[in-house]
Amino acid sequence: MLVSHPMQVFARAALVLVTALSVTACTTYQDPAERTDGVNDPYEKQNRNIHAFNKGFDKELVRPVSKGYAVVPVEIRDRVNDFSDNLSTPGYAINNLLQGNLKGAGISVVRFAMNTTIGIGGIVDAASELGIPDQETDFGETLAVWGVGEGAYVELPFLGPSTQRDAVGFVTDFFTNPLTLATIDTSPERYIPPTAYVGSALNNRDKFKGTIDSVLYDSADSYAQSRSIYLQNRRFELEGSATEEVDPFAVDPYEQ
């Protein structure tokens, strides 16, 4: 009898999730007569329950642990952030390529090569020091470029505010990043990426504690406040992505 590797089981489950969310992102809609604030939130009841869970998780674990992590010298914490960001760079290259942004894809490849070599595995952002800018993007933005609607607002356990489109993007980014495939075996190295991600998240939680605490613990309705902030910021980030027609063959990868 064959026993599936845990990552294979997880991959199958993720594939089902991506397929389901991809379909519903195009179809799930709330009557504008019910909402006049530009928010498509047909799952508000379920979302509020998840938000309450996330808020409790932050209060009991994330916030106190981030305060403890803050005693680590800032130089070390910043190096962990740089290392975590470098691990995401292959995904940036893939998404830039899928969006027809050949220049952005090329820069991402160069950044990853430089930071992994002269940046000592990514713990130093050597590329930025040399004036090569980050080309951060994700599969949620790729879907927007392809014309996929944002779908309904959803709050994800542990991850927080999202949309159906961005939820699909998050899962897809995880499995399309070459470094994910390189660390799914049983070697100890498989713990490095998630450990770096957690360290980076804790550092950011402490860095932006004033804003986060204000939204979660000082707002009259923290759910509505976090939803509004997320949607406004995300829509601003993607402004033009869904309407701009991209011709990958019209892009000059050597254009300065």
Side-chain angles (χ1 to χ4, degrees):
M1 180 178 178
L2 295 176
V3 179
S4 296
H5 190 284
M7 283 301 298
Q8 293 176 322
V9 175
F10 185 45
R12 293 190 193 108
L15 179 60
V16 172
L17 175 63
V18 167
T19 303
L21 289 176
S22 295
V23 173
T24 55
C26 301
T27 59
T28 306
Y29 188 68
Q30 186 172 35
D31 190 338
E34 298 178 25
R35 303 294 300 237
T36 59
D37 53 4
V39 175
N40 179 20
D41 190 4
Y43 308 121
E44 183 168 347
K45 182 178 179 180
Q46 299 95 313
N47 285 335
R48 283 186 177 275
N49 290 335
I50 296 174
H51 178 77
F53 167 80
N54 286 341
K55 188 173 177 179
F57 181 70
D58 178 82
K59 182 178 181 180
E60 300 299 328
L61 185 63
V62 178
R63 183 167 63 166
V65 172
S66 69
K67 289 180 180 179
Y69 185 60
V71 304
V72 176
V74 65
E75 293 81 6
I76 296 178
R77 287 183 279 132
D78 286 346
R79 298 292 72 76
V80 172
N81 273 43
D82 287 342
F83 179 74
S84 178
D85 290 343
N86 191 52
L87 293 177
S88 300
T89 306
Y92 301 160
I94 290 173
N95 279 297
N96 275 302
L97 186 63
L98 292 174
Q99 293 166 25
N101 183 1
L102 302 186
K103 180 179 178 180
I107 291 175
S108 293
V109 171
V110 171
R111 280 183 56 86
F112 182 72
M114 292 185 65
N115 287 341
T116 303
T117 54
I118 65 175
I120 318 174
I123 62 174
V124 176
D125 188 357
S128 292
E129 293 291 334
L130 294 174
I132 302 175
D134 198 2
Q135 303 293 310
E136 183 175 354
T137 185
D138 53 58
F139 194 69
E141 183 170 2
T142 298
L143 290 174
V145 170
W146 291 352
V148 177
E150 73 177 17
Y153 175 80
V154 292
E155 177 140 353
L156 303 176
F158 304 110
L159 300 175
S162 187
T163 61
Q164 289 178 310
R165 181 177 63 199
D166 285 342
V168 171
F170 175 81
V171 175
T172 305
D173 280 331
F174 179 81
F175 284 102
T176 56
N177 191 321
L179 293 181
T180 298
L181 302 177
T183 56
I184 60 175
D185 56 18
T186 57
S187 64
E189 289 79 8
R190 72 186 187 277
Y191 296 111
I192 295 176
T195 301
Y197 174 80
V198 170
S200 177
L202 290 174
N203 189 34
N204 290 335
R205 175 61 178 87
D206 182 71
K207 185 182 298 184
F208 302 110
K209 61 186 175 184
T211 301
I212 296 173
D213 288 347
S214 175
V215 171
L216 289 182
Y217 305 111
D218 298 334
S219 303
D221 185 347
S222 61
Y223 171 75
Q225 182 78 350
S226 60
R227 178 184 63 192
S228 176
I229 291 173
Y230 175 80
L231 290 176
Q232 288 181 35
N233 288 344
R234 186 58 169 164
R235 288 168 181 173
F236 178 78
E237 265 183 11
L238 301 183
E239 187 175 357
S241 292
T243 56
E244 183 180 354
E245 210 169 294
V246 178
D247 179 3
F249 300 102
V251 179
D252 180 0
Y254 301 104
E255 180 183 343
Q256 296 300 319

